[in-house]
Amino acid sequence: MAANVNPKYTVPGLSVEQAGELIGILQMRLHALNDLHLTLKHVHWNVVGPHFIAVHEMLDPQVDRVRDMADDVAERAAALGGVSQGTPGALVAARSWEDYSVGRAGAIAHLGALDLVYSGVVTDVRKAIEQVGPIDPATEDLLIEQLRDLEQFQWFVRAHLETSGGELRTADADTEVEAARRAGQ
């Protein structure tokens, strides 16, 4: 998690210490969203196979919305008096996750790996909501709105991975490569 950096000023009703905590949480959300945006574009460019066009076209609106989410998070941090770090170096230095590990692959394999990516992002957003909720309803509301969209995107991905019996082919996969392999079976 990013360190709290107390701003010189913040919005009425919050202390600079509270704003610093929120800014730190938002910074990690910004890193995650920037990473997700790039990962989705990577998949968009490297997906192949019979389901190519469906996945290729499904991802563009997700990319656009995730970029908008990043902008909203950065602007909320600025409104709180913070400075958002949006550079690749800052992202790599602060993140606790590895780069997306699947290169050129079939559509279903990529979707299997993306399911794990979305699971990580959604889990982290839920934790951030728990942290910001007691401090600031405006920041909580922003993250809740984003959570709904991210969960919907994961549902779109999972619809391709679900068996007719309602099970995910990627269930219990621990790595993106393993999820990709199971999805492609």
Side-chain angles (χ1 to χ4, degrees), residues 3-115:
N4 294 352
V5 179
N6 294 344
K8 295 186 189 292
Y9 68 90
T10 192
V11 297
L14 291 179
S15 69
V16 292
E17 292 79 17
Q18 289 172 315
E21 184 176 351
L22 294 169
I23 292 164
I25 293 165
L26 290 170
Q27 181 60 59
M28 290 309 296
R29 294 299 83 235
L30 179 60
H31 288 323
L33 291 166
N34 282 336
D35 187 82
L36 179 58
H37 152 252
L38 292 170
T39 297
L40 290 168
K41 280 312 280 188
H42 170 83
V43 173
H44 173 85
W45 296 322
N46 289 290
V47 65
V48 296
H51 304 287
F52 159 78
I53 198 66
V55 171
H56 185 80
E57 290 183 354
M58 178 182 76
L59 293 179
D60 273 334
Q62 293 182 28
V63 168
D64 292 342
R65 177 63 183 118
V66 169
R67 282 198 332 224
D68 287 343
M69 288 179 194
D71 193 49
D72 291 343
V73 163
E75 289 176 358
R76 180 66 186 153
L80 292 166
V83 175
S84 295
Q85 300 296 319
T87 62
L91 187 163
V92 171
R95 72 181 182 185
S96 60
W97 59 91
E98 297 294 321
D99 265 343
Y100 184 76
S101 58
V102 179
R104 184 178 175 91
I108 301 303
H110 270 300
L111 293 176
L114 273 179
D115 181 40

